[in-house]
Amino acid sequence: MARYTGPVCRLCRREGMKLYLKGDRCYSDKCSVTVRSYAPGQHGQSRKKVSEYGIQLREKQKVRRIYGILEKQFRIYFEKADRQKGVTGENLLRLLERRLDNVAYRLGFASSRVDARQLVRHGHFTVNGRKVNIPSFLVKAGDMIAVKEKSKSSPKLQGYAQNLGSHNAPAWLDLDKPNLVGKVIALPSREDVDLEINEQLIVELYSR
């Protein structure tokens, strides 16, 4: 499967904001956006006039990188959102939030979406009692997401479990911290997506 293998801090600097791709490092003084708050590359510090298309493109790239999705897959999500009833941009964000890797991250079972994607692929989670190792699996209301019993002894997951005491899951998820189980109590709304995203720019980009 194709995926980005370059330095992820470079992506944050390119978008000019923290995308929280490296977990704890993003909250420390070592964060690249804090140390070098300009775009990467030879001309990163030069001021450039950005066109309307450029603004729309940057917004799309930002969302795509936040959720770790390649271009073709992102386009499929958009087309699916466009076919659904309601506002296309909000439908798109709801679909992305329902991805299993994102849900595992939102529940606090991983320090970043990148980390959560790896844990899902390695089969550490179950959905309604069945192992699911597909990061793009879309959860629905009533689904139970749990850390596998055998995986609870993993030092990495034990570390995340110890940090759940101060973790607050979003309103559409219910977290049973002692048992490492989360439940989807409702589908996410636009208000549940606490990211600096202007989804209308993405809609305008794909409507060209």
Side-chain angles (χ1 to χ4, degrees), residues 29-85:
D29 294 335
K30 295 181 180 179
C31 175
S32 294
V33 176
T34 303
V35 177
R36 291 176 289 180
S37 58
Y38 51 86
Q42 182 179 357
H43 305 289
Q45 298 186 64
S46 61
R47 293 185 178 181
K48 298 178 182 178
K49 185 178 179 180
V50 183
S51 64
E52 181 182 357
Y53 171 78
I55 295 173
Q56 295 168 350
L57 178 63
R58 289 267 55 87
E59 196 68 17
K60 186 263 293 183
Q61 293 292 75
K62 179 175 70 177
V63 175
R64 195 170 64 77
R65 287 165 173 172
I66 286 174
Y67 290 97
I69 301 173
L70 296 178
E71 181 60 43
K72 184 177 180 180
Q73 190 178 15
F74 190 86
R75 185 62 185 249
I76 292 172
Y77 276 121
F78 179 84
E79 291 173 352
K80 185 175 182 178
D82 194 33
R83 291 193 298 269
Q84 293 178 344
K85 293 182 180 179

Side-chain angles (χ1 to χ4, degrees), residues 3-195:
R3 61 190 178 93
Y4 177 77
T5 57
V8 293
C9 289
R10 184 184 182 90
L11 302 181
C12 296
R13 291 178 57 207
R14 181 63 187 88
E15 303 308 329
M17 64 175 290
K18 293 186 179 185
L19 305 181
Y20 299 99
L21 304 177
K22 294 211 72 172
D24 294 338
R25 183 186 176 92
C26 299
Y27 297 94
S28 71
D29 294 335
K30 295 181 180 179
C31 175
S32 294
V33 176
T34 303
V35 177
R36 291 176 289 180
S37 58
Y38 51 86
Q42 182 179 357
H43 305 289
Q45 298 186 64
S46 61
R47 293 185 178 181
K48 298 178 182 178
K49 185 178 179 180
V50 183
S51 64
E52 181 182 357
Y53 171 78
I55 295 173
Q56 295 168 350
L57 178 63
R58 289 267 55 87
E59 196 68 17
K60 186 263 293 183
Q61 293 292 75
K62 179 175 70 177
V63 175
R64 195 170 64 77
R65 287 165 173 172
I66 286 174
Y67 290 97
I69 301 173
L70 296 178
E71 181 60 43
K72 184 177 180 180
Q73 190 178 15
F74 190 86
R75 185 62 185 249
I76 292 172
Y77 276 121
F78 179 84
E79 291 173 352
K80 185 175 182 178
D82 194 33
R83 291 193 298 269
Q84 293 178 344
K85 293 182 180 179
V87 182
T88 300
E90 294 182 6
N91 291 340
L92 174 63
L93 294 182
R94 277 195 288 266
L95 285 172
L96 296 174
E97 280 290 301
R98 289 171 54 200
R99 285 174 55 97
L100 181 57
D101 55 358
N102 177 74
V103 173
Y105 166 69
R106 291 291 197 182
L107 288 169
F109 297 156
S111 62
S112 67
R113 290 181 180 83
V114 176
D115 194 23
R117 189 173 307 115
Q118 184 184 58
L119 291 172
V120 171
R121 283 183 179 144
H122 289 178
H124 290 292
F125 299 106
T126 62
V127 178
N128 299 327
R130 300 182 62 180
K131 185 180 81 171
V132 178
N133 59 3
I134 303 172
S136 60
F137 178 88
L138 294 180
V139 301
K140 58 183 183 298
D143 281 352
M144 303 289 289
I145 297 90
V147 176
K148 281 177 59 179
E149 201 62 39
K150 290 183 178 179
S151 300
K152 289 180 181 179
S153 59
S154 164
K156 192 172 189 177
L157 284 164
Q158 284 182 345
Y160 294 146
Q162 291 174 0
N163 294 327
L164 285 179
S166 58
H167 179 76
N168 294 316
W172 60 285
L173 296 173
D174 182 60
L175 175 60
D176 180 354
K177 297 179 181 180
N179 296 313
L180 300 183
V181 177
K183 181 179 181 180
V184 183
I185 57 179
L187 294 182
S189 65
R190 178 62 183 91
E191 290 71 27
D192 293 320
V193 184
D194 55 347
L195 300 167

